[in-house]
């Protein structure tokens, strides 16, 4: 769909790369981006991620809520993904992760929280309903993303379609191994998940992708400076109208154009900064 003029004026039409010393500083910048969205929108719609990367961000947001700077009362959220077959109270389910690390600690209204239901009897229907609900809420204003060491976003694994919608996916062996660290054993990691598709993510008005640590450096390089390819699903974000990548030094270590990214950040208009 062609972008309307007002969108072009408001959005940056580039991938913005912000590099900070460590995860803590990345969390601070990311929290400012989320806070700005909450303050600008009357009824903000956030897309949320799980995993270890956004924990610093959630910590900062909880702090901003506690000090009265932001509120989540008017906010609607859609999580990216969930394991199939894990009960919502399962300690490794993303329902539980979100309750423990975020929702239970801010003023979110329970009825505004949306997480794919990996326990639904009809998984295909639940995926379609998820897409419809996002649309009914007017789309996602700000989508928070992590990146897998294999370049996945959400649970969109390499070699999948770059225009996929919310659907049931099979985890790659690489991700099962990576996520084994959250379970007693990698064999306990479910093989099936529900995830928003790349096409769903691409419709968010702003994507905020975070990456920390050496383990992400190859995927980050491919996402920002490589060719757009299904081998590195995050590279699809090069076509996104407004993506901000917030990286720590280690995750950014393989980038060739760091000086340029720093130059762009230094010369932003005041309204473009976070
Ligand atoms: P992580 O996962 O934040 O736990 O590294 C990110 C992802 O796999 O998307």
């Amino acid at each position: 769909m062609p972008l309307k003029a007002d969108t072009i004026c408001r959005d940056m039409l580039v991938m913005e790369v912000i590099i900070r010393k460590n995860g803590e500083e990345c969390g601070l910048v990311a929290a400012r981006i989320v806070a700005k969205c909450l303050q600008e929108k009357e009824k903000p719609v956030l897309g949320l991620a799980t995993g270890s990367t956004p924990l610093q961000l959630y910590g900062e947001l909880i702090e901003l809520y506690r000090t009265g700077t932001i509120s989540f009362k008017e906010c609607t959220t859609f999580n990216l993904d969930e394991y199939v077959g894990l009960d919502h109270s399962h300690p490794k389910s993303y329902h539980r992760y979100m309750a423990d690390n975020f929702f239970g600690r801010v003023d979110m209204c329970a009825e505004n929280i949306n997480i794919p239901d990996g326990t639904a009897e009809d998984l295909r229907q639940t995926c379609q309903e998820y897409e419809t609900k996002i649309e009914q809420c007017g789309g996602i204003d700000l989508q928070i993303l992590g990146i897998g060491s294999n370049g996945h976003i959400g649970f969109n694994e390499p070699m999948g379609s770059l225009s996929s919608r919310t659907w049931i996916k099979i985890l790659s062996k690489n991700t099962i191994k990576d996520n084994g660290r959250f379970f007693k054993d990698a064999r306990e990691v479910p093989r099936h998940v529900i995830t928003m598709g790349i096409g769903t993510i691409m419709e968010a008005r702003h994507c905020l992708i975070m990456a920390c640590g050496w383990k992400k450096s190859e995927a980050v390089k491919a996402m920002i400076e490589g060719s757009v390819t299904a081998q590195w699903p995050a590279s699809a974000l090069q076509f996104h109208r407004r993506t901000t990548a917030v990286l720590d030094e280690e995750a950014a270590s393989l980038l060739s154009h760091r000086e340029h990214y720093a130059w762009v950040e230094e010369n932003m208009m005041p309204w473009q900064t976070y």
Side-chain angles (χ1 to χ4, degrees), residues 125-145:
Q125 188 181 332
T126 212
C127 291
Q128 274 153 8
E129 285 168 0
Y130 207 66
E131 287 279 331
T132 308
K133 187 106 191 258
I134 293 173
E135 206 182 305
Q136 283 168 348
C137 290
I140 292 171
D141 293 308
L142 177 63
Q143 175 66 58
I144 293 152
L145 297 162

Side-chain angles (χ1 to χ4, degrees), residues 161-190:
S161 159
L162 294 183
S163 58
S164 57
R165 312 299 309 188
T166 302
W167 202 239
I168 306 119
K169 302 272 171 79
I170 302 162
L171 288 186
S172 66
K173 286 186 181 169
N174 181 87
T175 300
I176 290 176
K177 190 163 141 265
D178 278 358
N179 286 12
R181 73 188 195 279
F182 297 118
F183 292 76
K184 266 197 246 115
D185 190 301
R187 279 172 299 192
E188 277 183 25
V189 180

Side-chain angles (χ1 to χ4, degrees), residues 75-94:
C75 184
T76 297
T77 62
F78 288 90
N79 265 77
L80 279 169
D81 44 22
E82 178 58 289
Y83 293 110
V84 166
L86 293 194
D87 197 76
H88 296 178
S89 60
H90 188 288
K92 303 302 169 195
S93 76
Y94 290 159

Side-chain angles (χ1 to χ4, degrees), residues 19-180:
I19 302 170
R20 291 292 182 271
K21 207 164 64 208
N22 51 36
E24 202 178 315
E25 290 192 11
C26 289
L28 281 170
V29 180
R32 280 203 294 273
I33 295 173
V34 176
K36 201 170 173 188
C37 173
L38 294 179
Q39 285 157 350
E40 279 173 7
K41 288 264 167 178
E42 224 170 277
K43 294 204 174 292
V45 180
L46 296 183
L48 299 180
T50 49
S52 47
T53 313
L55 286 173
Q56 294 275 0
L57 163 64
Y58 291 140
E60 290 301 329
L61 290 176
I62 292 163
E63 209 38 49
L64 289 175
Y65 159 68
R66 281 211 193 110
T67 54
T69 312
I70 53 175
S71 163
F72 295 87
K73 268 213 179 91
E74 299 301 326
C75 184
T76 297
T77 62
F78 288 90
N79 265 77
L80 279 169
D81 44 22
E82 178 58 289
Y83 293 110
V84 166
L86 293 194
D87 197 76
H88 296 178
S89 60
H90 188 288
K92 303 302 169 195
S93 76
Y94 290 159
H95 277 77
R96 182 77 180 273
Y97 169 106
M98 290 308 299
D100 291 351
N101 292 302
F102 189 53
F103 294 144
R105 300 162 72 185
V106 295
D107 59 346
M108 273 293 302
C109 299
E111 64 270 24
N112 294 341
I113 294 172
N114 299 281
I115 305 176
D117 184 4
T119 64
E121 220 166 277
D122 189 335
L123 290 173
R124 287 176 287 188
Q125 188 181 332
T126 212
C127 291
Q128 274 153 8
E129 285 168 0
Y130 207 66
E131 287 279 331
T132 308
K133 187 106 191 258
I134 293 173
E135 206 182 305
Q136 283 168 348
C137 290
I140 292 171
D141 293 308
L142 177 63
Q143 175 66 58
I144 293 152
L145 297 162
I147 182 168
S149 62
N150 63 358
H152 73 200
I153 47 175
F155 271 137
N156 294 282
E157 301 286 37
M159 309 323 296
S161 159
L162 294 183
S163 58
S164 57
R165 312 299 309 188
T166 302
W167 202 239
I168 306 119
K169 302 272 171 79
I170 302 162
L171 288 186
S172 66
K173 286 186 181 169
N174 181 87
T175 300
I176 290 176
K177 190 163 141 265
D178 278 358
N179 286 12

